[in-house]
């Protein structure tokens, strides 16, 4: 199949449904090429130990096989697959992801709740005309609910562990519905929402909702003429509540406008939205046709056209932690110069290795804001655990691994659940660059100091003899580094002196 270089694809592996969007852009607006949705009910497959059942995995893999076929016409670098709440929570997520990535032939990016909220906001924001109006955006998914306030950009983001699948299973077991269970579900949701009400209250002029639960409720109210089309009123929601409580079981929810495939999880999602209306004091909610997948497509297009949110996040960290930006950039430039020497021996994809190494160089002294001792460990911890807009959890783990190993004894990957492998040649480039700029000299390293590599376990630094004699401390550091790499990683680092003139 011929590939369409103008197309972008987002595959959202949600807790209730898997959504595929293939689109292009016209006047900076999304033009849909293809959509596909499967009700996978991934969250329903979680047992008490947090394991995804074989049945749920099989449903998901069958869906992904269809998605893979539809994705064949899209360039690989213009596809992003995102996993949300259930894949964040599942104890055997790695087992499932290994099988899923084999079916798709693409990596799955697990994102944090706040990153999910940011992408939802980005999608919804592009469904409305640009205004300075402050908006509250609500997205009720299968396992989590995202709340965001902002105008052109998000200002306050929260992700709460409540969704249509998880609440339906927890409070309406076997589909049974009664006033007591509904009240219990609403109160549980209000308890989760309560601590976050004040930061949101009074900071928005318009409320917008997205995703299946909210769109389904909006459709029901419109068909029954209980609210205007594309809007959910508090009064309409109250009238719909009476219809919900008239049913003894979700099988009996014969509500005009409610689709058959939404029935089993409808009451849980409805309880969450009802609680949000009560706790946030909302009069109404506009319904958006856009959601996280539109946000992913916009974000992906931005990455490929010099509007990468990750770059903004790196700059923000540099400023927030008062990192020596000049030193970070010096080391980043040297890393970029030497990266081609190991390019044939690294496992990190070419398109990722350069930015990853640059960001690690710019942030390698992040931990100094906490303490000088073991600052590489402090920096690695921050990068592995902070909310970093634009980054997936795997990207954060790779960045954390590089920073953790830029000095001292190399340590293996600490958490294999992220699917991160130790790319030691990449680590070595960063370590060597840090050694050569340890004195923070402003002068650029001479061009005739070069790095070469015959294989992944052999590195050679070529240095003019007179330069090495003039820099005995760096020479000593290199000798120590060669011994450490050999002992810890079985990597042979040789120092080749040549007699060319120092530039």
């Amino acid at each position: 199949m011929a590939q369409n270089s103008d197309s972008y694809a987002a595959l959202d592996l949600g807790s209730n449904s898997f959504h595929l969007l293939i689109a292009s852009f016209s006047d900076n607006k999304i033009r849909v090429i293809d959509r596909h949705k499967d009700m996978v009910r991934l969250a329903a497959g979680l047992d008490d130990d947090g394991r995804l059942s074989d049945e749920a995995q099989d449903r998901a893999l069958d869906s992904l096989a269809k998605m893979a076929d539809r994705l064949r016409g899209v360039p690989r670098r213009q596809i992003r697959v995102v996993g949300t709440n259930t894949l964040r929570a599942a104890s055997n997520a790695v087992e499932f992801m290994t099988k899923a990535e084999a079916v798709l032939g693409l990596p799955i990016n697990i994102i944090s709740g706040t990153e999910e909220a940011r992408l939802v906001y980005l999608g919804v924001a592009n469904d409305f005309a640009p205004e300075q109006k402050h908006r509250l955006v609500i997205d009720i998914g299968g396992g989590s609910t995202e709340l965001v306030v902002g105008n052109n950009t998000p200002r306050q983001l929260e992700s709460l562990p409540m969704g249509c699948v998880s609440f339906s299973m927890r409070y309406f077991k076997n589909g049974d519905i009664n006033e007591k269970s509904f009240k219990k579900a609403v109160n549980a949701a209000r308890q989760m929402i309560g601590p976050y009400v004040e930061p949101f209250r009074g900071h928005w002029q318009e409320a917008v909702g997205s995703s299946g639960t909210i769109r389904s409720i909006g459709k029901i109210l419109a068909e029954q003429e209980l609210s205007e089309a594309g809007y959910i009123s508090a009064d309409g929601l109250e009238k719909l509540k009476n219809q919900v409580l008239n049913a003894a079981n979700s099988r009996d929810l014969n509500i005009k406008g409610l689709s058959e495939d939404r029935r089993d999880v409808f009451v849980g999602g409805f309880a969450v939205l009802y609680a949000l209306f009560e706790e946030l004091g909302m009069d109404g909610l506009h319904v958006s046709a856009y959601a996280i997948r539109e946000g992913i497509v916009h974000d992906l297009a931005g990455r490929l056209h010099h509007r990468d949110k990750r770059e903004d996040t790196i700059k923000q960290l540099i400023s927030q932690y008062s990192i020596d930006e000049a030193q970070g950039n010096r080391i980043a430039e040297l890393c970029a110069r030497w990266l081609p020497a190991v390019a044939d021996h690294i496992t990190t994809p070419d398109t990722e290795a350069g930015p990853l190494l640059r960001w690690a160089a710019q942030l390698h002294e992040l931990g100094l804001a906490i303490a000088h001792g073991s600052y590489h460990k402090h920096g690695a911890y921050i990068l592995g655990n902070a909310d970093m807009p634009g980054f997936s959890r795997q990207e954060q783990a790779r960045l954390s691994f590089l920073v953790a190993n830029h000095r001292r004894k190399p340590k293996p990957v600490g958490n294999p659940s992220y699917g991160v492998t130790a790319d030691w040649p990449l680590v070595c480039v960063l370590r060597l660059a840090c050694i050569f700029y340890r004195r923070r000299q402003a002068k650029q390293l001479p061009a005739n100091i070069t790095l070469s590599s015959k294989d992944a376990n052999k590195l050679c630094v070529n240095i003019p003899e007179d330069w090495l004699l003039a820099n005995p401390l760096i020479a000593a550091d290199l000798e120590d580094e060669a011994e450490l790499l050999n002992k810890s990683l079985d990597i042979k680092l040789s120092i080749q002196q040549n007699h060319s003139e120092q530039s």
Side-chain angles (χ1 to χ4, degrees), residues 206-252:
E206 177 182 71
V208 183
S210 66
S211 289
T213 290
I214 289 173
R215 283 205 300 270
S216 179
I217 293 171
K219 179 174 178 283
I220 291 168
L221 296 182
E223 287 197 20
Q224 297 188 23
E225 297 183 348
L226 297 175
S227 288
E228 296 177 11
Y231 189 74
I232 297 172
S233 67
D235 182 60
L237 202 65
E238 194 65 38
K239 290 175 180 175
L240 182 55
K241 172 192 165 185
N242 295 330
Q243 295 181 44
V244 170
L245 293 180
N246 280 335
N249 191 279
S250 60
R251 294 187 300 271
D252 306 322

Side-chain angles (χ1 to χ4, degrees), residues 154-185:
R155 302 296 181 192
Q156 180 83 19
L157 307 97
E158 293 295 342
S159 179
L160 306 176
M162 56 186 190
C164 64
V165 177
S166 59
F167 263 47
S168 293
M169 291 176 63
R170 189 178 308 159
Y171 297 104
F172 306 95
K173 292 180 180 177
N174 301 315
D176 293 336
I177 301 170
N178 55 62
E179 193 160 353
K180 182 179 178 182
S181 60
F182 182 79
K183 186 175 181 180
K184 191 174 181 180

Side-chain angles (χ1 to χ4, degrees), residues 5 11 24 86 93 103 113 119 123 137 156 227 235 254 260 323 358 410 466 483 486 501:
S5 61
L11 177 51
S24 62
T86 297
V103 170
L119 291 170
V137 172
Q156 180 83 19
S227 288
D235 182 60
N254 296 314
E260 181 68 31
I323 299 170
R358 172 164 52 81
D466 54 354
E483 183 179 349
N486 186 31
E501 290 296 318

